[in-house]
Amino acid sequence: RRYQAALLVITPRIDPTGPADDELDAALEDVLYSLDQTPAGIVWESARRVVYADVLPAYEIAITVHTNHTRGE
């Protein structure tokens, strides 16, 4: 099975031209690194800059989760 989802990385700061931008970019790097280190099955496809709730700078990361169904006994 394959599931697609979006993961949001949001900064609580609303000044996208200063500290909020730096904080958000650093958080994105941390999240992408963590996704790359997870066991097989979770793949990030893309990360795009968005605005959450009309004020908060954010990144939306498209992820795909692959699973195998096994029958328990």
Side-chain angles (χ1 to χ4, degrees):
R1 295 182 184 196
R2 182 178 71 154
Y3 300 94
Q4 294 181 323
L7 176 64
L8 292 175
V9 178
I10 304 169
T11 182
R13 300 177 190 253
I14 60 172
D15 176 17
T17 61
D21 228 9
D22 296 339
E23 187 176 306
L24 182 60
D25 290 342
L28 174 66
E29 288 298 322
D30 289 344
V31 170
L32 294 180
Y33 177 80
S34 295
L35 289 171
D36 286 339
Q37 300 305 309
T38 60
I42 299 176
V43 177
W44 67 274
E45 308 284 330
S46 64
R48 69 182 180 103
R49 188 68 182 262
V50 296
V51 176
Y52 180 76
D54 294 326
V55 294
L56 298 173
Y59 277 104
E60 179 180 276
I61 304 168
I63 61 171
T64 302
V65 179
H66 300 273
T67 63
N68 291 321
H69 177 72
T70 58
R71 205 168 272 197
E73 296 182 334

